Amino acid sequence: MSTLTRVVTTSASEKLAEFACEYVDGEGFSVVHKANVMRKTDGRFRDAVVGVADDHGVDTDEVLMDAFATRVCLDPTQFDTIVCPNLAGDVLSDLAAGLVGGLGLLPSANIGDDNALFEPVHGTAPDIAGEGVANPLATVLSAAMLLDHLGYSEESDRVEAAVETVLAEGPRTADLGGDAETETVTDAVIDRL
């Protein structure tokens, strides 16, 4: 029999909640968790996040992660900002990727006090590295998020607009029903810039 240790601290949960409250600028957010089953870990997370939000006067609603999975598929517009523990975030971000066309379209950001890391949600995809089949748009959109984080909002908007144009007009990689290679799609984004 093996043992699983999952560490969820109040201080880290509160830090995330502080960031969320600042990010939503008073608008509120959804706390997605599984505290009904993982009482000690997700329960601690939920209590910390809701407590910080209450202290800031930020409205929250709570959604169990399995119910969220169904609800977001039926109507993703009912959610704006969600705050959840890492496990829920990992699973639900992949689920949400299916709503927009796949993992090849989702950028991500890990933002700390002193540093930030921007990368595609799918990571480096070493299994297909160098084959020319990866969708580069998640990487390009991650760069746009980096630009915005560094204060280059206009440049970030231009990159996002170029990606949107390529999505609308093509070319597309195989994950989006096309037959273009990574380099071809990258060149198309550059041309739109």
Side-chain angles (χ1 to χ4, degrees):
M1 179 180 204
S2 62
T3 302
L4 171 67
T5 301
R6 182 172 182 231
V7 178
V8 175
T9 65
T10 299
S11 61
S13 300
E14 288 174 343
K15 188 173 183 176
L16 175 60
E18 292 284 347
F19 180 87
C21 289
E22 183 180 316
Y23 180 80
V24 299
D25 196 25
E27 292 297 315
F29 56 83
S30 300
V31 183
V32 179
H33 58 77
K34 195 67 176 155
N36 62 324
V37 175
M38 296 181 273
R39 290 178 181 91
K40 289 188 178 186
T41 54
D42 277 28
R44 176 186 305 265
F45 176 85
R46 179 202 57 218
D47 292 348
V49 170
V50 170
V52 168
D54 286 347
D55 290 347
H56 286 274
V58 174
D59 291 333
T60 60
D61 64 294
E62 293 185 45
V63 186
L64 294 175
M65 70 180 276
D66 45 351
F68 176 86
T70 300
R71 289 177 54 193
V72 77
C73 287
L74 293 173
D75 178 15
T77 64
Q78 66 186 295
F79 297 103
D80 188 346
T81 301
I82 68 164
V83 177
C84 55
N86 186 59
L87 175 63
D90 189 34
V91 171
L92 297 173
S93 64
D94 283 11
L95 171 78
L99 297 173
V100 298
L103 288 172
L105 297 176
L106 293 185
S108 73
N110 297 286
I111 301 173
D113 291 334
D114 300 316
N115 300 295
L117 170 72
F118 299 85
E119 65 178 343
V121 163
H122 60 66
T124 60
D127 56 321
I128 58 173
E131 294 181 20
V133 298
N135 186 334
L137 298 181
T139 302
V140 174
L141 290 170
S142 296
M145 289 174 69
L146 170 63
L147 287 169
D148 188 59
H149 179 73
L150 294 174
Y152 297 98
S153 298
E154 289 179 30
E155 291 84 350
S156 174
D157 291 345
R158 286 185 55 227
V159 172
E160 287 181 9
V163 168
E164 289 174 11
T165 301
V166 169
L167 282 170
E169 300 173 1
R172 295 182 189 90
T173 48
D175 61 316
L176 299 178
D179 59 4
E181 292 189 349
T182 305
E183 187 174 347
T184 304
V185 175
T186 303
D187 288 344
V189 172
I190 294 169
D191 288 345
R192 269 47 171 220
L193 283 171

PDB file of all heavy atoms in Angstrom, residues 164-179:
ATOM      1  N   GLU A 164      -5.394  35.674 -33.600  1.00  0.00           N
ATOM      2  CA  GLU A 164      -6.818  35.556 -33.942  1.00  0.00           C
ATOM      3  C   GLU A 164      -7.029  35.543 -35.453  1.00  0.00           C
ATOM      4  O   GLU A 164      -7.872  34.804 -35.961  1.00  0.00           O
ATOM      5  CB  GLU A 164      -7.612  36.687 -33.286  1.00  0.00           C
ATOM      6  CG  GLU A 164      -7.727  36.521 -31.788  1.00  0.00           C
ATOM      7  CD  GLU A 164      -8.394  37.712 -31.100  1.00  0.00           C
ATOM      8  OE1 GLU A 164      -8.955  38.591 -31.799  1.00  0.00           O
ATOM      9  OE2 GLU A 164      -8.335  37.761 -29.858  1.00  0.00           O
ATOM     10  N   THR A 165      -6.264  36.353 -36.171  1.00  0.00           N
ATOM     11  CA  THR A 165      -6.375  36.378 -37.631  1.00  0.00           C
ATOM     12  C   THR A 165      -5.955  35.030 -38.224  1.00  0.00           C
ATOM     13  O   THR A 165      -6.627  34.490 -39.105  1.00  0.00           O
ATOM     14  CB  THR A 165      -5.525  37.511 -38.220  1.00  0.00           C
ATOM     15  OG1 THR A 165      -5.978  38.755 -37.684  1.00  0.00           O
ATOM     16  CG2 THR A 165      -5.632  37.554 -39.741  1.00  0.00           C
ATOM     17  N   VAL A 166      -4.860  34.476 -37.724  1.00  0.00           N
ATOM     18  CA  VAL A 166      -4.409  33.175 -38.213  1.00  0.00           C
ATOM     19  C   VAL A 166      -5.436  32.090 -37.872  1.00  0.00           C
ATOM     20  O   VAL A 166      -5.721  31.213 -38.694  1.00  0.00           O
ATOM     21  CB  VAL A 166      -3.007  32.823 -37.661  1.00  0.00           C
ATOM     22  CG1 VAL A 166      -2.646  31.371 -37.944  1.00  0.00           C
ATOM     23  CG2 VAL A 166      -1.965  33.767 -38.247  1.00  0.00           C
ATOM     24  N   LEU A 167      -6.020  32.166 -36.703  1.00  0.00           N
ATOM     25  CA  LEU A 167      -7.055  31.185 -36.353  1.00  0.00           C
ATOM     26  C   LEU A 167      -8.249  31.277 -37.298  1.00  0.00           C
ATOM     27  O   LEU A 167      -8.835  30.269 -37.686  1.00  0.00           O
ATOM     28  CB  LEU A 167      -7.512  31.380 -34.904  1.00  0.00           C
ATOM     29  CG  LEU A 167      -6.571  30.838 -33.844  1.00  0.00           C
ATOM     30  CD1 LEU A 167      -7.010  31.301 -32.454  1.00  0.00           C
ATOM     31  CD2 LEU A 167      -6.504  29.314 -33.901  1.00  0.00           C
ATOM     32  N   ALA A 168      -8.605  32.490 -37.674  1.00  0.00           N
ATOM     33  CA  ALA A 168      -9.760  32.686 -38.558  1.00  0.00           C
ATOM     34  C   ALA A 168      -9.455  32.320 -40.009  1.00  0.00           C
ATOM     35  O   ALA A 168     -10.296  31.725 -40.693  1.00  0.00           O
ATOM     36  CB  ALA A 168     -10.236  34.139 -38.471  1.00  0.00           C
ATOM     37  N   GLU A 169      -8.261  32.658 -40.474  1.00  0.00           N
ATOM     38  CA  GLU A 169      -7.940  32.515 -41.895  1.00  0.00           C
ATOM     39  C   GLU A 169      -7.034  31.334 -42.218  1.00  0.00           C
ATOM     40  O   GLU A 169      -6.928  30.935 -43.377  1.00  0.00           O
ATOM     41  CB  GLU A 169      -7.269  33.801 -42.394  1.00  0.00           C
ATOM     42  CG  GLU A 169      -8.137  35.035 -42.255  1.00  0.00           C
ATOM     43  CD  GLU A 169      -7.401  36.321 -42.606  1.00  0.00           C
ATOM     44  OE1 GLU A 169      -6.197  36.257 -42.977  1.00  0.00           O
ATOM     45  OE2 GLU A 169      -8.023  37.393 -42.510  1.00  0.00           O
ATOM     46  N   GLY A 170      -6.357  30.790 -41.199  1.00  0.00           N
ATOM     47  CA  GLY A 170      -5.393  29.732 -41.448  1.00  0.00           C
ATOM     48  C   GLY A 170      -4.038  30.323 -41.723  1.00  0.00           C
ATOM     49  O   GLY A 170      -3.888  31.536 -41.789  1.00  0.00           O
ATOM     50  N   PRO A 171      -3.061  29.494 -41.842  1.00  0.00           N
ATOM     51  CA  PRO A 171      -3.079  28.036 -41.849  1.00  0.00           C
ATOM     52  C   PRO A 171      -3.265  27.459 -40.446  1.00  0.00           C
ATOM     53  O   PRO A 171      -3.132  28.174 -39.453  1.00  0.00           O
ATOM     54  CB  PRO A 171      -1.696  27.686 -42.401  1.00  0.00           C
ATOM     55  CG  PRO A 171      -0.821  28.811 -41.935  1.00  0.00           C
ATOM     56  CD  PRO A 171      -1.698  30.034 -41.984  1.00  0.00           C
ATOM     57  N   ARG A 172      -3.576  26.163 -40.393  1.00  0.00           N
ATOM     58  CA  ARG A 172      -3.812  25.492 -39.119  1.00  0.00           C
ATOM     59  C   ARG A 172      -3.010  24.199 -39.041  1.00  0.00           C
ATOM     60  O   ARG A 172      -2.856  23.503 -40.031  1.00  0.00           O
ATOM     61  CB  ARG A 172      -5.292  25.175 -38.951  1.00  0.00           C
ATOM     62  CG  ARG A 172      -6.147  26.409 -38.843  1.00  0.00           C
ATOM     63  CD  ARG A 172      -7.616  26.053 -38.634  1.00  0.00           C
ATOM     64  NE  ARG A 172      -8.420  27.247 -38.746  1.00  0.00           N
ATOM     65  CZ  ARG A 172      -8.945  27.699 -39.872  1.00  0.00           C
ATOM     66  NH1 ARG A 172      -8.774  27.044 -40.989  1.00  0.00           N
ATOM     67  NH2 ARG A 172      -9.660  28.803 -39.890  1.00  0.00           N
ATOM     68  N   THR A 173      -2.576  23.887 -37.822  1.00  0.00           N
ATOM     69  CA  THR A 173      -1.909  22.611 -37.582  1.00  0.00           C
ATOM     70  C   THR A 173      -2.966  21.503 -37.486  1.00  0.00           C
ATOM     71  O   THR A 173      -4.169  21.779 -37.417  1.00  0.00           O
ATOM     72  CB  THR A 173      -1.074  22.673 -36.286  1.00  0.00           C
ATOM     73  OG1 THR A 173      -1.879  23.235 -35.239  1.00  0.00           O
ATOM     74  CG2 THR A 173       0.180  23.519 -36.467  1.00  0.00           C
ATOM     75  N   ALA A 174      -2.503  20.272 -37.456  1.00  0.00           N
ATOM     76  CA  ALA A 174      -3.399  19.110 -37.487  1.00  0.00           C
ATOM     77  C   ALA A 174      -4.381  19.079 -36.317  1.00  0.00           C
ATOM     78  O   ALA A 174      -5.523  18.632 -36.477  1.00  0.00           O
ATOM     79  CB  ALA A 174      -2.579  17.829 -37.519  1.00  0.00           C
ATOM     80  N   ASP A 175      -3.976  19.567 -35.154  1.00  0.00           N
ATOM     81  CA  ASP A 175      -4.884  19.542 -33.991  1.00  0.00           C
ATOM     82  C   ASP A 175      -6.113  20.414 -34.211  1.00  0.00           C
ATOM     83  O   ASP A 175      -7.128  20.240 -33.536  1.00  0.00           O
ATOM     84  CB  ASP A 175      -4.153  19.953 -32.711  1.00  0.00           C
ATOM     85  CG  ASP A 175      -3.597  21.365 -32.763  1.00  0.00           C
ATOM     86  OD1 ASP A 175      -3.010  21.743 -33.798  1.00  0.00           O
ATOM     87  OD2 ASP A 175      -3.744  22.095 -31.765  1.00  0.00           O
ATOM     88  N   LEU A 176      -6.042  21.337 -35.176  1.00  0.00           N
ATOM     89  CA  LEU A 176      -7.173  22.203 -35.498  1.00  0.00           C
ATOM     90  C   LEU A 176      -7.773  21.859 -36.861  1.00  0.00           C
ATOM     91  O   LEU A 176      -8.492  22.659 -37.458  1.00  0.00           O
ATOM     92  CB  LEU A 176      -6.748  23.675 -35.465  1.00  0.00           C
ATOM     93  CG  LEU A 176      -6.239  24.180 -34.110  1.00  0.00           C
ATOM     94  CD1 LEU A 176      -5.807  25.638 -34.213  1.00  0.00           C
ATOM     95  CD2 LEU A 176      -7.298  24.010 -33.035  1.00  0.00           C
ATOM     96  N   GLY A 177      -7.449  20.659 -37.362  1.00  0.00           N
ATOM     97  CA  GLY A 177      -8.036  20.201 -38.611  1.00  0.00           C
ATOM     98  C   GLY A 177      -7.279  20.585 -39.860  1.00  0.00           C
ATOM     99  O   GLY A 177      -7.750  20.345 -40.977  1.00  0.00           O
ATOM    100  N   GLY A 178      -6.104  21.170 -39.711  1.00  0.00           N
ATOM    101  CA  GLY A 178      -5.314  21.556 -40.872  1.00  0.00           C
ATOM    102  C   GLY A 178      -4.185  20.588 -41.136  1.00  0.00           C
ATOM    103  O   GLY A 178      -4.111  19.510 -40.539  1.00  0.00           O
ATOM    104  N   ASP A 179      -3.280  20.997 -42.012  1.00  0.00           N
ATOM    105  CA  ASP A 179      -2.128  20.151 -42.316  1.00  0.00           C
ATOM    106  C   ASP A 179      -0.820  20.945 -42.303  1.00  0.00           C
ATOM    107  O   ASP A 179       0.217  20.465 -42.759  1.00  0.00           O
ATOM    108  CB  ASP A 179      -2.307  19.447 -43.661  1.00  0.00           C
ATOM    109  CG  ASP A 179      -2.478  20.426 -44.831  1.00  0.00           C
ATOM    110  OD1 ASP A 179      -2.388  21.650 -44.623  1.00  0.00           O
ATOM    111  OD2 ASP A 179      -2.698  19.935 -45.952  1.00  0.00           O
TER     112      ASP A 179
END
